[in-house]
Amino acid sequence: MLRKAKITDIEQLVEWVWIILEDMELTLLKEINTDKLKQLMKEAMEDENYRYSYHRAHICIREGKRAGVCFGYKGELEPIVDEAFNDKLKAQGIEALLFQDSETVPGEWYLDSLVTVVNFRGQGVASELLKALPAIAKSENEKIIGLNCDQLNQKAQQLYLKIGFKKVWECMFGQHLYDHMQWKIN
């Protein structure tokens, strides 16, 4: 079962996002206290425009538990999706940015992040989330879903290809090479 995230999910959402951010080996995570960054992220998650807002999150429920999540937004919104978090950083006197590179393009609904809880991996949680994306994208008037997948993450690559994504270009984020993939939906 899938549901939209609620404000009461924010604590869990931060922990899921943190898994991705650590995998990306972002510089800011090494420079700023983890607890402080997580607190700022929690506060930013209440802003509906934030990349990781609970308003942008869809949660998969299995056995009455939160088994996975995905976040996404229209590509044209990328210039504003980090303003809430960046404003919180600036208010703390931190001038660095968490994300500096462009990840998406206008004309696609961008799957920013997808995480499956370890205990639920291999049970179709990611597939269930991915299969829900066409309806989400269509509700926002998009006919293409885009994402970036670390080239070292072969399991994710295989899943995305199986669902219908195709590689369209390569890009670098931090020290990692990613494939930008798109899925054209009807």
Side-chain angles (χ1 to χ4, degrees), residues 26 41 54 60 123 143 182:
L26 299 173
M41 186 172 287
Y54 77 91
C60 180
Q123 298 178 33
K143 294 180 180 167
Q182 291 182 333

Side-chain angles (χ1 to χ4, degrees), residues 80 107 132 137 139 157:
I80 66 162
S139 75
Q157 290 264 352

Side-chain angles (χ1 to χ4, degrees), residues 15-55:
E15 296 308 315
W16 281 333
V17 168
W18 210 256
I19 292 167
I20 293 165
L21 299 180
E22 285 185 325
D23 284 349
M24 292 178 77
E25 301 178 287
L26 299 173
T27 306
L28 187 64
L29 272 61
K30 298 170 188 166
E31 297 174 353
I32 310 297
N33 175 278
T34 298
D35 292 333
K36 177 180 253 186
L37 281 177
K38 284 183 177 181
Q39 181 57 42
L40 297 175
M41 186 172 287
K42 286 177 196 174
E43 293 170 17
M45 282 184 170
E46 293 185 29
D47 186 309
E48 66 184 27
N49 293 316
Y50 180 43
R51 168 192 306 265
Y52 299 123
S53 170
Y54 77 91
H55 297 277

Side-chain angles (χ1 to χ4, degrees), residues 129-139 142 145 183 185-186:
L129 287 162
L130 288 168
K131 288 175 183 173
L133 297 183
I136 296 167
K138 285 178 185 177
S139 75
E142 294 295 356
I145 300 168
W183 178 16
I185 56 176
N186 300 322

Side-chain angles (χ1 to χ4, degrees), residues 80-122:
I80 66 162
V81 295
D82 290 322
E83 286 178 358
F85 186 67
N86 292 339
D87 289 347
K88 302 241 178 259
L89 288 173
K90 287 178 191 166
Q92 297 291 316
I94 302 167
E95 292 299 321
L97 301 175
L98 188 57
F99 296 105
Q100 299 177 16
D101 301 309
S102 181
E103 296 182 38
T104 184
V105 293
E108 68 179 20
W109 187 89
Y110 181 64
L111 175 63
D112 183 281
S113 304
L114 188 147
V115 177
T116 301
V117 174
V118 173
N119 299 5
F120 291 98
R121 290 190 181 153

